[in-house]
Amino acid sequence: MIKSEDLSFISSVEDRVDKAAAENGIQRSVFSRPDTVITVNGKTVKKSYRIKAGDEVHINYTCELFTGLEARDIPLDVIYEDENILVIDKRQGLVVHPAAGNWDNTLCNALLYRYGDSILSDEDDIRPGIVHRLDKDTSGVMVIAKNPDALAFLSGEFKDHRTRKYYIAVAEGVFPNRHGFIDKKIARSTRDRKLFSVTEDENRGKEARTEYFVLSQLKSSALLLIRIYTGRTHQIRVHLSSIAHPLVGDVLYNKKKSPYPLMLHSALLFIRNPKDKKEMRFSSAIPERFESYLAENGDAGLKDVLVEHLLDPDL
């Protein structure tokens, strides 16, 4: 489960706030999480902020606790597996981690059933092999580490942006340009902590970069191929919404109701294998909801165009 924690202390040293907090018992990894909020004397700051003796520091963060997590026999669509990694095609609707409203029947429960306690690592939070996440309503390619060494290696690969991730999506509106970059920091919303938004505040948020290609401009929406260079929570959904092109079926960031579910799919993932460090390419089939949407709103032949782009060796 997810547990909210708070730490407050009066600084006795001059140092970076994350280092000072570590001396007070918080793991450094806490400061890489998007929902960690740091304030110094009531002002929100970054983890690199230098505090002075006498400063009042307050940190709100969450702990992911999987103690008592039960194994569940949940079928997984396996794309590839070896002694170090499992690559799956995550179905839409499957929750990755236990969270409020979804404490059971998650991917973590399925992994415990499949591998038992061998999938657990207790070096930080107990995360059953999870090195990156897909939202509940995002489908597609996802890699899981099967042992602590693979977990450490892949976590570093994602953290240092050495992986390549491509998505397909359908976004609202007419795009004036066929290609574009969105470089906007993303922070937790000040109005609703379940949501995120772009920000220009230098003391808030994390850098985020998204690249998009318009594969086909439909009448009132567009089929996109998207590459993300960072992995922020809700990144694609927030970035596209920020330029007035929210995703079709996005109940969080799109005010327009749609008969379709979220039109976002992790289509391609490039990673290095933990064993030999050679790059591997994994792809997921085009979901039925995309085929239906293209047939009803564009041209059924667009599926072939989409497949051709996903097979492009230069991606």
Side-chain angles (χ1 to χ4, degrees):
M1 65 179 180
I2 308 300
K3 181 181 179 183
S4 180
E5 294 282 359
D6 290 278
L7 172 69
S8 297
F9 64 92
I10 304 297
S11 175
S12 59
V13 297
E14 180 175 339
D15 205 343
R16 283 175 51 122
V17 66
D18 56 348
K19 291 184 178 179
E23 294 296 323
N24 283 271
I26 290 186
Q27 295 174 333
R28 293 288 293 276
S29 61
V30 162
F31 297 97
S32 297
R33 299 176 191 164
D35 55 0
T36 296
V37 178
I38 311 165
T39 60
V40 176
N41 301 326
K43 177 183 177 182
T44 302
V45 300
K46 295 181 177 181
K47 64 181 180 181
S48 58
Y49 182 85
R50 295 194 68 83
I51 55 177
K52 304 180 184 66
D55 281 345
E56 183 176 342
V57 180
H58 179 80
I59 302 168
N60 177 264
Y61 61 101
T62 57
C63 292
E64 300 172 43
L65 305 175
F66 295 100
T67 302
L69 188 66
E70 295 186 14
R72 300 293 185 202
D73 185 7
I74 301 172
L76 299 176
D77 188 354
V78 176
I79 296 174
Y80 172 85
E81 183 172 13
D82 62 23
E83 68 270 27
N84 294 302
I85 62 174
L86 171 73
V87 182
I88 65 168
D89 191 346
K90 188 186 88 67
R91 62 174 172 80
Q92 188 173 53
L94 179 63
V95 176
V96 173
H97 270 163
N102 293 285
W103 295 116
D104 203 358
N105 295 313
T106 69
L107 176 58
C108 290
N109 297 98
L111 293 172
L112 282 176
Y113 181 88
R114 189 179 181 93
Y115 301 110
D117 291 344
S118 66
I119 196 72
L120 300 178
S121 169
D122 58 4
E123 295 179 359
D124 187 8
D125 296 329
I126 299 177
R127 305 173 185 176
I130 305 300
V131 292
H132 70 125
R133 307 185 193 193
L134 296 178
D135 296 339
K136 173 184 176 182
D137 291 322
T138 302
S139 54
V141 183
M142 184 173 176
V143 62
I144 295 101
K146 292 175 59 177
N147 55 63
D149 288 341
L151 180 66
F153 175 79
L154 289 174
S155 295
E157 295 286 285
F158 278 93
K159 180 181 178 181
D160 295 334
H161 312 306
R162 286 192 289 265
T163 61
R164 285 185 287 155
K165 294 171 281 185
Y166 291 88
Y167 293 73
I168 56 173
V170 178
E172 304 278 6
V174 176
F175 283 72
N177 301 307
R178 307 289 291 186
H179 173 246
F181 286 93
I182 307 172
D183 289 287
K184 296 181 180 181
K185 292 172 64 180
I186 292 177
R188 189 171 291 278
S189 171
T190 56
R191 294 178 297 175
D192 186 339
R193 287 188 59 79
K194 295 180 181 179
L195 303 180
F196 292 81
S197 61
V198 298
T199 180
E200 296 181 359
D201 187 339
E202 62 179 16
N203 293 316
R204 296 184 63 240
K206 296 180 181 295
E207 300 295 333
R209 191 175 201 227
T210 301
E211 181 180 17
Y212 65 85
F213 305 85
V214 179
L215 300 182
S216 180
Q217 178 63 62
L218 309 176
K219 184 177 180 180
S220 60
S221 60
L223 176 65
L224 307 179
L225 176 65
I226 299 170
R227 180 180 180 183
I228 57 173
Y229 292 83
T230 51
R232 309 306 179 198
T233 302
H234 296 178
Q235 177 174 322
I236 294 174
R237 301 164 70 177
V238 172
H239 267 177
L240 268 295
S241 178
S242 77
I243 62 170
H245 293 292
L247 298 187
V248 170
D250 191 340
V251 297
L252 295 181
Y253 300 99
N254 188 352
K255 295 180 180 180
K256 182 179 178 181
K257 293 184 178 180
S258 171
Y260 286 89
L262 180 66
M263 298 297 287
L264 181 62
H265 178 70
S266 173
L268 282 173
L269 175 64
F270 294 80
I271 62 168
R272 291 195 300 161
N273 191 289
K275 184 176 182 179
D276 58 17
K277 310 303 185 289
K278 291 182 179 179
E279 186 175 75
M280 306 179 76
R281 171 186 176 130
F282 300 105
S283 63
S284 169
I286 298 171
E288 187 277 334
R289 68 186 188 278
F290 276 81
E291 294 188 41
S292 296
Y293 188 93
L294 294 175
E296 294 179 18
N297 296 276
D299 180 346
L302 285 176
K303 177 185 175 182
D304 296 330
V305 175
L306 188 53
V307 170
E308 181 181 348
H309 279 279
L310 296 179
L311 293 176
D312 186 345
D314 293 327
L315 282 179

